[in-house]
């Protein structure tokens, strides 16, 4: 596959009992891939360590098994690539590249704020993919904070307008899974 996942994670390996804010039924429904067939967006939101990337990778794997093309990237890598492509006069080529996969996974949106130029590039990508392919975005910031992430409330609203039109939003709460496991093992208090 072309997915380039950062690690191997599966839905079977996800401990739903440890994460009551995630509905296993909703995840099972998403695993069918119907949302991708519909071109819906999926937002996985929540603080660090709660399983956002795990679920993104696991759902990406399920999508590949269902025959969908999937590309995984971090928000930082995506924005660096698009910004460089623009500087080299190759933006169109890159936008086409990122528009091709039926599912594009953008991990860790919001860890770094975007330059205003980058926010516009991201908007172009979202517009390009709109109603053509699905976006799965993970973020540690709530959608209400995306104005800050994009450094531009107007662009953030335009992006959210498209993303939220046909979307599934899963907000994961709780503390980091790893911290929790360490606490359970008595390694920390
Ligand atoms: P983030 O929300 O920051 O993306 P990750 O998905 O990377 O967090 O989770 C951090 C680590 O904890 C990963 O190794 C992941 O597999 C594991 N993890 C998180 N939540 C769970 C869970 N509910 N069941 C099993 N492993 C989990
Ligand atoms: Mg992550």
């Amino acid at each position: 596959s072309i997915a380039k996942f950062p690690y191997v994670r599966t839905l079977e390996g996800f401990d739903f009992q440890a994460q009551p804010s995630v509905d296993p039924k909703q995840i099972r429904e998403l695993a069918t891939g119907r949302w991708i067939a519909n071109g819906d967006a999926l937002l996985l939101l929540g603080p660090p360590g709660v399983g956002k990337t795990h679920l993104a990778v696991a759902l990406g794997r399920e999508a590949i098994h269902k025959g969908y093309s999937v590309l995984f990237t971090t928000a930082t890598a995506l924005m660096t690539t698009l910004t460089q492509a623009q500087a080299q006069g190759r933006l169109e080529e890159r936008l086409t590249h990122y528009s091709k996969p039926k599912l594009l996974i953008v991990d860790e949106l919001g860890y770094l704020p975007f330059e205003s130029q980058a926010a516009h590039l991201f908007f172009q990508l979202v517009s390009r993919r709109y109603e053509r392919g699905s976006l799965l975005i993970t973020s540690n910031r709530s959608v209400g904070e995306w104005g800050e992430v994009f450094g531009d409330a107007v662009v953030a609203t335009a992006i959210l307008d498209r993303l939220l039109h046909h979307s599934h939003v899963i907000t994961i709460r709780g503390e980091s899974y790893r911290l929790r496991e360490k606490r359970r093992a008595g390694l920390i208090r």
Side-chain angles (χ1 to χ4, degrees):
S1 81
I2 54 157
K4 294 191 200 152
F5 295 129
Y7 51 40
V8 178
R9 290 294 184 280
T10 61
L11 286 184
E12 296 74 44
F14 192 81
D15 179 359
F16 286 95
Q17 296 213 314
Q19 196 44 266
S21 63
V22 175
D23 176 5
K25 254 191 268 159
Q26 186 177 15
I27 301 298
R28 252 180 269 128
E29 165 57 31
L30 291 167
T32 66
R34 269 191 283 270
W35 66 287
I36 303 170
N38 291 341
D40 297 349
L42 171 60
L43 306 186
L44 297 175
L45 310 176
V50 294
K52 301 182 300 296
T53 302
H54 185 136
L55 287 173
V57 169
L59 289 171
R61 278 171 61 101
E62 296 294 327
I64 289 171
H65 289 151
K66 295 282 188 291
Y68 296 111
S69 51
V70 178
L71 181 60
F72 183 105
T73 180
T74 64
T76 304
L78 173 68
M79 296 330 300
T80 303
T81 305
L82 289 180
T83 305
Q84 283 174 356
Q86 188 178 43
Q88 295 164 352
R90 303 172 73 163
L91 179 61
E92 198 51 40
E93 197 181 296
R94 280 289 100 184
L95 284 174
T96 301
H97 170 78
Y98 286 117
S99 302
K100 271 185 186 152
K102 193 66 184 148
L103 171 62
L104 177 66
I105 302 176
V106 180
D107 196 26
E108 299 189 343
L109 187 93
Y111 278 95
L112 293 174
F114 285 8
E115 302 288 333
S116 98
Q117 192 52 34
H120 282 273
L121 292 174
F122 190 74
F123 171 71
Q124 285 186 55
L125 178 63
V126 170
S127 305
R128 184 77 61 109
R129 293 188 58 86
Y130 183 59
E131 290 186 333
R132 253 182 260 174
S134 288
L135 265 168
L136 190 170
I137 296 177
T138 81
S139 180
N140 62 327
R141 312 285 295 266
S142 68
V143 292
E145 295 173 316
W146 282 24
E148 276 166 57
V149 170
F150 290 104
D152 184 323
V154 176
V155 174
T157 302
I159 289 168
L160 283 169
D161 186 57
R162 281 159 182 75
L163 284 182
L164 298 179
H165 187 209
H166 304 284
S167 70
H168 309 264
V169 180
I170 298 179
T171 301
I172 311 179
R173 274 170 271 275
E175 74 169 332
S176 156
Y177 184 78
R178 284 202 181 112
L179 281 182
R180 190 193 133 112
E181 291 300 294
K182 284 204 175 109
R183 196 186 313 283
R184 286 194 159 180
L187 298 172
I188 54 168
R189 291 205 292 148

